[in-house]
Amino acid sequence: MIMKRIISAVLAVCTMAVCTVSAFAEDNSKVETEDVEINVSGASAADNWGQSLSVEQSTFNAKYMTEDSKIIVTYECTDINENSGNAYPAELIFQSWENTTSPNADADGNIWAKVAPVEFDDTTATYDYESIAEAYGTNDFSQVMNIHIGATDRAKITCTSMKVTNCKTEKFVKAEEEKAKGTNPVIIIAAVVAGIAIAVVVIVIIMNKKSSEAFDVSKGEFISKKDAEIPKK
């Protein structure tokens, strides 16, 4: 009876451990997001491939973007050239140098990734995550040093607002980094369960030796040693 109680307790612990691991995995998959408004007070008028706004990594780190992120830009548009080869007046540029993550980097590690908008008119342009990652060469944006809003040859623009949607919150990113530095809780739980299992095996062996009964693993119960099958020599 004692052994059966021990085994029942172990099974209960294992069940709790599995539930804990599942709960941890579920919580870890929930990404906290927010929309980020970029300060555009330093924007200026630009045309013919010049830049109206430049956003440094210290102002906004592109690694906070998620697959659901979009960059939405508004601008004033003047001097429209209807004969331009470009239908859109504003382009997005992701810049990097000494880059080690993107295949699009040149021999010196420089990237000047120009992104066309997925939606636009003469006042607003929207750039999605997929288009940005394709132009940049990877979705690892940790080495993006500058984000520019530039003018094409279609018109003169002045950026009036810039928003990046569905970004990871700073709190969430810091929590991710702390977890990466520490030991994974799933591994700890798995190790504890394995330790318990080993302990049970040891207890079974000891009690089998000291008891007049033998524990039949296949039946999950004790049987008389006299009834136990004696191996043939």
Side-chain angles (χ1 to χ4, degrees):
M1 292 296 293
I2 296 177
M3 182 56 63
K4 290 182 179 179
R5 290 177 182 176
I6 293 174
I7 293 175
S8 296
V10 171
L11 291 175
V13 171
C14 291
T15 301
M16 291 176 62
V18 170
C19 292
T20 302
V21 171
S22 299
F24 173 80
E26 183 178 352
D27 290 340
N28 196 45
S29 66
K30 295 179 180 178
V31 180
E32 298 176 5
T33 62
E34 62 182 358
D35 294 348
V36 178
E37 294 282 351
I38 305 297
N39 185 348
V40 299
S41 59
S44 59
D47 59 4
N48 291 317
W49 316 111
Q51 284 76 58
S52 175
L53 178 70
S54 296
V55 182
E56 296 181 352
Q57 188 186 69
S58 57
T59 299
F60 174 74
N61 196 323
K63 73 177 183 180
Y64 284 30
M65 294 175 64
T66 67
E67 292 183 354
D68 296 322
S69 292
K70 294 182 179 179
I71 296 180
I72 303 172
V73 178
T74 63
Y75 43 80
E76 294 177 354
C77 191
T78 60
D79 302 338
I80 298 176
N81 178 9
E82 297 293 351
N83 297 320
S84 167
N86 289 280
Y88 51 90
E91 63 180 3
L92 177 71
I93 302 165
F94 268 38
Q95 182 185 15
S96 179
W97 52 84
E98 297 183 356
N99 187 283
T100 59
T101 62
S102 173
N104 290 358
D106 64 18
D108 296 321
N110 298 313
I111 297 177
W112 186 264
K114 304 173 76 168
V115 187
V118 291
E119 297 178 2
F120 67 91
D121 55 29
D122 288 340
T123 61
T124 308
T126 300
Y127 309 86
D128 66 0
Y129 184 91
E130 183 178 356
S131 298
I132 296 170
E134 183 178 356
Y136 187 67
T138 177
N139 61 1
D140 182 351
F141 299 139
S142 60
Q143 295 183 9
V144 174
M145 306 311 295
N146 284 318
I147 299 175
H148 304 285
I149 304 302
T152 66
D153 59 353
R154 179 173 176 77
K156 178 181 289 185
I157 66 166
T158 302
C159 184
T160 55
S161 74
M162 178 178 175
K163 178 170 69 176
V164 188
T165 68
N166 297 304
C167 295
K168 296 176 185 177
T169 63
E170 185 174 356
K171 176 182 176 182
F172 180 82
V173 171
K174 287 184 177 179
E176 277 189 325
E177 292 173 347
E178 287 300 319
K179 288 177 182 177
K181 293 178 182 178
T183 303
N184 191 325
V186 175
I187 297 177
I188 295 176
I189 294 171
V192 171
V193 173
I196 294 174
I198 293 173
V200 170
V201 171
V202 172
I203 292 173
V204 169
I205 293 173
I206 293 174
M207 294 194 69
N208 276 345
K209 290 182 177 179
K210 293 185 176 181
S211 174
S212 61
E213 294 181 324
F215 184 74
D216 190 329
V217 178
S218 62
K219 296 180 179 180
E221 60 184 18
F222 286 95
I223 61 174
S224 172
K225 288 185 177 179
K226 295 180 180 179
D227 298 331
E229 182 179 353
I230 301 175
K232 296 180 180 180
K233 294 183 178 180

